[in-house]
Amino acid sequence: MTVETTLSIIKPDAVAAGNIGAILQMISDAGLKIKAMKMVQMSQKEAEGFYAVHKERPFFGELVEFMTSGPAVVSILEGENAIARYRELMGATNPEQAEEGTIRKNFATNIQNNAVHGSDAPETAAVETAYFFSSIEQVN
Ligand code: GDP
């Protein structure tokens, strides 16, 4: 087992619906440690940069519009196997396919407005955590 860090975003839909507290409780109950956290209102450029890997996808414009539609809560989570564990806690991208007890099952509206983001691999986690946080913003 390796201790990993991963980037979590509580997306604008979940923030607007008042679900920050409930989602953080699920993260805490799963034993993932919060190393950094802040609320951000992404600009178009920032959201485009964050989702640059999806820029050729047909839904890219809509996704950027959604991610800039209101404040989001970004955090760095740490734990053994944190990347896979957080993806499991999030549930499937499409909430219709998400397992019971997952964040997306509880709080997502549809495949786009799906409450949370989590990094999918160590390489993307490193890029994504650095995108939002400097080292001084992370606790030891
Ligand atoms: P994730 O890793 O589970 O977040 O999923 P992806 O990396 O495949 O997609 C990134 C994000 O794009 C998702 O979390 C959704 O917010 C959005 N998304 C994915 N698929 C679709 C789609 O078919 N249509 C729309 N509008 N948005 C999508």
Side-chain angles (χ1 to χ4, degrees), residues 57-74:
R57 309 273 283 271
F59 57 81
F60 182 66
E62 272 178 278
L63 176 59
V64 168
E65 195 179 323
F66 162 57
M67 292 301 287
T68 58
S69 66
V73 173
V74 288

Side-chain angles (χ1 to χ4, degrees), residues 102-140:
T102 61
I103 295 172
R104 283 168 167 169
K105 179 73 180 181
N106 291 355
F107 302 116
T109 305
N110 54 47
I111 195 168
Q112 175 182 275
N113 296 22
N114 59 4
V116 280
H117 167 85
S119 310
D120 63 3
E123 299 71 30
T124 45
V127 172
E128 292 178 0
T129 54
Y131 195 76
F132 287 105
F133 295 98
S134 66
S135 57
I136 205 168
E137 293 177 291
Q138 302 181 41
V139 299
N140 288 318

